[in-house]
Each structure stands twice: as C-alpha cells, then as structure tokens.
Amino acid sequence: MTTATQTSRIAQLPPAVKAVTLPALLIVVWQIWAMTLPETSPAPAPAKVVQSFIELTASGDLVWSTLQSLGRVLAGFCVALVLGLSLGVLMGASRAVRENLDPIIESFRPIAPMAILPIAILWFGTGTPAALTIVAYAAFFPLLVNTVYGVSRVDRQLVRAAQTMGVNRLRTIATVIVPAAVPSVLLGSRLAMGVAWTAIIAAELAVGAKSGGGTSGGIGQMMFVFYAYSIDLNGIVVCMIVVGVIALMIDRLFRVAEHRLLPWRN
Amino acid sequence: MVSLMETRTAKELAEVASESDVDRKAGARYPGSVRAQGRFWQARWFIVVRAFSVFIGIWYLVALWVASPIQMPSPFKVLEALIALGRTGELFDHALISATRLVISLVISTLIAVPLGFLMAMNREANAFIDPIVELLRPISGIAWIPLGLFIFGVGGTLPIFIMAYVAFFPLLLNTIDGVKSIDRKLMSAAETMGVSRSARLLHIAVPAALPSVMVGFRIAFASAWAAIIAAELIGSPSGLGFAIEWYRQLLMSPKVFAFIAMIGAIGYLCDLGLRTLQHKLTPWAEGMGIGQ
C-alpha cells in the first residue's frame, strides 16, 4: 500500500526534478566522499573541480588549449571533406570506380585512427601534422560512405531527364547529383566531426605521452600534463567536461544546420 | 538513435540505394548490373584480387620512390616481418591479449546495458531518472577517460577493459531502448489478454522483437571498442596490439609496425564479418527492415 502511494507520488514529480535527481545525488555523494579523504589526497572533488575550472579559465590556458584542438579538428576535417567528397562522388556515380576501390576502402576501415599514429609520427614527427593526419583519417570514412550513399541514391529519373535534355555528364553531377546528395553529406559531416573530435583528443594524449609532454599543446595534451606532471585530477575532470560540452555543441550545430538547410526533411 | 548507417559499408549502402523502387522503375541504370554469369574477370573475387594487386603495386612504387625503409617499408618487407612475427608467436600473443580484453569488456557492457535498456524502455519512471545521466556522460568520449583511468587503474590491463566497456555501453543501451520501444504494442496487449505471464511476454515477444536492434548496437559497440582499445593500449598498457605498434615505432622497426597494423585491420574485419553472419542467422527477419532501423 505504502509502496503504491510512494511510486505514484514519485510519478507526480515534475520532469525537471526527476532529471536532476540522480546527477545531483551523484555530485553530493562524490563531494562527501572527497571530504572524508585527507587534505593532501589528489582525488577530485566537485568543489575543487569548479575552483580549478575558474582558475584555468582565468589564466586563459583552458580556452587556448580548446581553441588549438578545435583548430586542428577543423583543418583535418577540411582535408577529409575534400578527399571524401571527391572520392565519394566518383564512387557513387560510377559503378566501376566503386567496385574497384571498395575492397581497399573496406580493408582500411577497421583500422582505428590511433593505429595510424605511429606511422604519422614516423612521417611527420610528434607535431601538429601528425595529429592532423589522424583527424583527417578518422573523418574520411563517415564522409566517404555517406557521400557514396547520397550520390547513388539520387533519383535516376532526374538524371535521365537531365541527360535527355542534353546536359553533359559533368554538369549533371554538379547540378543534379551533388544537390541531391546534400542530406547524406550533412549526416556524414556530423558523424565525421564527432569521430574527429575524439581522434584529436586521443592523438594529443598519445603525442603527449610519447614525446614526454612536448610543446604541441591542445586539450588532450593538457590532460596528459595534468596526469603525468602536475597530478591535478581536478584539472583532468575539468578537461573531460569541456571535451564533452564541445562534443555536444558540435553535434547540435550540425543538427541545426541539417534542420535549416533541409527543412523538408522534418 | 544510432543508425545502421554507421555499420554498413559504402558498397552495401549504394546497393540498397540502387535497388530502391525509383531505380527499379527506371530500369537498370548501370550497364554492368545485368552481368554475364561465369566470366571470371567480372567475378567479385577477381575484382578484389585486382584491386589489391594494384594497391600493392602502387605501394611498392611509392616505397621505391621514398627510398626510406623506416618511413615507407616495401610490401615485401612487411610480409617478411609478418611471417617472422607469426613464427615467433609474438603477433598472436599480442592479438590474443587484445582480443581477450575486448571480449571481457563487451561481456561486461552487454550485461549492464541490455537489461538497463529493457528497464528504461519499459518503465517510464526509470527512464525519466536514468536518461539524464546517460545523456550527460555520453558526449564524454572514452578516450577522454584515459588520463583519469590511468590514475585509478594504473598502467596495465584494467584500463583498456574499462575504456572499452564504457565506449561499448552507449550504442548497446541506446539500440536496446530503441528496439524495445519498437515492439508492437498490440502483440503485447494480445498476449496479456490471453493470460500470458509477464515473464513469458518478455521472453517470447519483447526479446525477439528487440533483438535486431540489439544486434546492430552490438556491432557498433564492437567497432567503437576495437577503435578505443588501440588508443588505450598505446597510451596506458604494457601489452596488446596498440602497445606493440608504438613499441616498434620507437625502435624504428617500421615493417613490424605495419605488420601489427595489418593485424589490427584483419581482426577488426573478421570480427565484423562474424558478427554480420551472426546477425543474419539470429535475426533473418530484420533483413527487409531497411536502413536506419
């Protein structure tokens, strides 16, 4: 009887209260647990994380590192965009190209971006170009696959209509096929930006780990320095939250773009 | 929802697309789509062999042109290294370590994510409480947990397992929720009307109905875990494939680096093939459900 009334009472709570309950509980338990530890313990605590966030923001380190990482992601993404789109349109439009390239593409796809890092370091050293390579490699596959899909899905009747009216092949690609592929390309871009952001963190972390905290910077490197040198776990948690927030923002940005550019799809 | 889009290959997607109604109406667009049977130069295996021969040929020429065995070893050197590593057993030792970690983490993740997914999909209250925390954690990639994980677990085998289990958790959970929510309510009500017990309804209706989506989630979970393990082992583990590639990079033994990378690709490809076959066997009815289901 009591349990029944209790559950109904819980059900009547406003959605916002329900949403906040568990995260709030988690933070409170975490803070209490941290307060039981001796003062010298490096364990992170919510209060210290907030303090660390304020300090890192005030000094400008956090903003600068984030911008550095974002810049690398954008540059790598642009490289992947150019390669993925051009190859994707070719593969989507021509069956011969698709059949011949597909085995090669598919054998590279299961190779994680991070597995390419040792090669990238051998080629470019432990600087920004190595990180860019990883990002471009990671972003390339979702862009390519979705472009191929978008292009091969184009309404054949439209292509035939264009051909009947004497439009040449190149112009058909530019005016019929590419616009029709835009929704898929946008989806591919969103997925690509997601993996690219993960890849840059991994690359910066690994470069930091392997070059002994070099000077290349970025938020991944910042995390590694906090781990290996200053043992600042609160700083690491701040970086993790920033990584999450940026990932969320990138995703939302592309979703908004999809809504704006393709209003008929909603 | 995590869609099939992420697991399908470009060719599969293109084929699904070209088999659409629009295309069928318009007739065969590609001259090659009506192909003569039995001509071996048009057979799938021949195209694959040819593509790889061209690829290896170009690789060989590039290696000749670069003329630096450290930066660009020739394909034959890599093959030699592959055979040598296979002989000493080192290749399989590291692969086995990574594969064991992968299996452990996927089992942990499945045991937590699938029941939780069922709970969240069937109980609105549970969903209202748990969903926010899932959505808070989800944008934080597994990679970002590596430094904190290193501190908690130290350098060793636990860190990769933790990172992979975390990474595999979200696609499994979301796809399970999605699968359970897609269950035909009428089937459930019909069974309830006929007095079928709750556990039997769960076992005979909900589980089979959700299975295709769970399988898709599992394939995505595997793919993301296999990508994450390389990063985790490269940074924080003294063994495994991710460790091996970076170790030989530091020793400037490039053919061995390439050999291990090939192994990473081969295992990833074979496992996905296996999972795909399992998916077709377990849920043959899901074939026609199309993309994005």
Side-chain angles (χ1 to χ4, degrees):
Chain A
M1 194 57 200
T2 29
T3 48
T5 45
Q6 265 169 1
T7 43
S8 70
R9 219 176 271 161
I10 288 172
Q12 279 165 3
L13 287 170
V17 174
K18 289 182 200 168
V20 171
T21 309
L22 271 185
L25 198 69
L26 195 77
I27 289 172
V28 169
V29 170
W30 178 16
Q31 178 68 42
I32 291 170
W33 169 77
M35 285 198 298
T36 62
L37 296 171
E39 192 60 30
T40 50
S41 163
K48 287 187 195 163
V49 168
V50 172
Q51 195 191 341
S52 179
F53 174 75
I54 293 168
E55 282 167 15
L56 286 170
T57 315
S59 71
D61 286 353
L62 190 64
V63 178
W64 175 235
S65 297
T66 310
L67 286 178
Q68 250 181 324
S69 296
L70 272 175
R72 285 181 186 145
V73 165
L74 266 182
F77 178 79
C78 287
V79 174
L81 194 67
V82 171
L83 290 176
L85 278 191
S86 44
L87 207 57
V89 169
L90 270 177
M91 281 175 76
S94 153
R95 192 191 171 104
V97 176
R98 187 163 74 231
E99 286 200 325
N100 282 294
L101 280 182
D102 191 65
I104 307 295
I105 304 278
E106 281 314 310
S107 44
F108 274 93
R109 215 150 73 111
I111 299 178
M114 282 307 285
I116 302 297
L117 184 75
I119 302 181
I121 293 179
L122 282 172
W123 286 350
F124 306 115
T126 53
T128 303
L132 277 187
T133 312
I134 306 301
V135 172
Y137 178 86
F140 173 72
F141 293 101
L143 276 166
L144 178 81
V145 170
N146 283 286
T147 308
V148 172
Y149 173 64
V151 169
S152 53
R153 202 192 51 171
V154 171
D155 189 342
R156 294 293 157 207
Q157 307 224 20
L158 289 180
V159 179
R160 295 193 145 203
Q163 279 170 345
T164 314
M165 287 187 274
V167 180
N168 65 33
R169 202 175 157 87
L170 215 64
R171 192 134 176 241
T172 311
I173 289 178
T175 54
V176 180
I177 294 180
V178 171
V182 165
S184 288
V185 172
L186 272 176
L187 172 68
S189 304
R190 177 157 58 82
L191 298 176
M193 266 311 257
V195 292
W197 179 244
T198 306
I200 193 67
I201 305 303
E204 286 171 353
L205 256 176
V207 167
K210 298 306 165 187
S211 68
T215 48
S216 53
I219 194 157
Q221 177 113 62
M222 196 178 184
M223 286 171 92
F224 189 79
V225 170
F226 281 147
Y227 160 70
Y229 298 96
S230 46
I231 314 182
D232 180 0
L233 296 194
N234 297 302
I236 291 180
V237 176
V238 170
C239 289
M240 284 169 68
I241 293 169
V242 171
V243 167
V245 169
I246 300 274
L248 205 64
M249 276 162 61
I250 290 173
D251 189 73
R252 286 286 174 277
L253 207 67
F254 272 90
R255 280 180 200 273
V256 168
E258 279 171 43
H259 276 258
R260 283 278 163 80
L261 291 173
L262 318 160
W264 65 89
R265 292 187 78 223
N266 303 319
Chain B
M1 188 184 84
V2 188
S3 73
L4 245 186
M5 214 68 134
E6 289 166 55
T7 60
R8 293 245 177 153
T9 68
K11 195 155 163 296
E12 274 182 330
L13 284 173
E15 272 158 13
V16 169
S18 63
E19 278 158 17
S20 66
D21 282 348
V22 178
D23 206 49
R24 224 172 278 148
K25 261 183 261 160
R29 162 72 178 78
Y30 306 112
S33 60
V34 189
R35 18 178 77 206
Q37 296 288 315
R39 287 196 195 154
F40 81 89
W41 62 86
Q42 285 180 339
R44 169 104 180 114
W45 68 266
F46 180 72
I47 293 173
V48 172
V49 170
R50 187 179 58 195
F52 270 101
S53 312
V54 172
F55 174 72
I56 289 170
I58 293 174
W59 177 6
Y60 184 70
L61 290 178
V62 171
L64 274 184
W65 179 63
V66 174
S68 157
I70 288 178
Q71 290 196 317
M72 197 60 167
S74 86
F76 304 107
K77 287 263 182 248
V78 173
L79 192 67
E80 257 173 48
L82 207 56
I83 292 167
L85 285 171
R87 277 232 180 97
T88 58
E90 207 185 333
L91 193 66
F92 305 111
D93 287 349
H94 282 297
L96 199 66
I97 291 171
S98 296
T100 312
R101 287 174 185 158
L102 179 80
V103 171
I104 294 174
S105 57
L106 284 179
V107 167
I108 294 174
S109 224
T110 309
L111 286 181
I112 301 174
V114 172
L116 192 65
F118 268 87
L119 176 73
M120 284 172 71
M122 297 182 117
N123 185 331
R124 201 181 293 169
E125 290 313 308
N127 190 55
F129 280 100
I130 302 170
D131 183 59
I133 208 152
V134 170
E135 288 304 314
L136 274 179
L137 285 176
R138 197 158 70 99
I140 302 177
S141 59
I143 306 291
W145 280 90
I146 290 178
L148 197 63
L150 266 174
F151 204 87
I152 298 171
F153 303 113
V155 171
T158 325
L159 173 80
I161 292 175
F162 167 72
I163 301 293
M164 279 196 287
Y166 177 85
V167 163
F169 176 78
F170 296 102
L172 266 169
L173 180 76
L174 297 184
N175 279 283
T176 305
I177 294 177
D178 220 64
V180 177
K181 279 193 176 159
S182 72
I183 294 170
D184 193 341
R185 294 278 155 226
K186 283 181 193 153
L187 283 180
M188 289 296 256
S189 322
E192 201 176 348
T193 318
M194 288 186 274
V196 179
S197 74
R198 197 177 152 80
S199 58
R201 264 181 282 148
L202 201 66
L203 193 67
H204 295 293
I205 301 172
V207 170
L211 198 58
S213 188
V214 174
M215 279 304 295
V216 170
F218 193 80
R219 272 180 64 197
I220 299 171
F222 160 75
S224 14
W226 192 240
I229 190 177
I230 307 302
E233 288 180 340
L234 200 150
I235 298 166
S237 175
S239 57
L241 291 168
F243 162 78
I245 51 171
E246 181 57 22
W247 171 252
Y248 283 114
R249 200 274 301 168
Q250 284 172 348
L251 297 177
L252 297 179
M253 292 169 134
S254 305
K256 289 190 177 176
V257 175
F258 279 66
F260 273 110
I261 291 175
M263 191 68 179
I264 292 170
I267 294 180
Y269 181 80
L270 289 177
C271 287
D272 190 60
L273 199 69
L275 285 178
R276 235 188 274 188
T277 316
L278 190 70
Q279 192 181 0
H280 288 215
K281 285 264 161 68
L282 275 181
T283 59
W285 64 89
E287 300 287 288
M289 281 166 71
I291 303 149
Q293 294 269 331

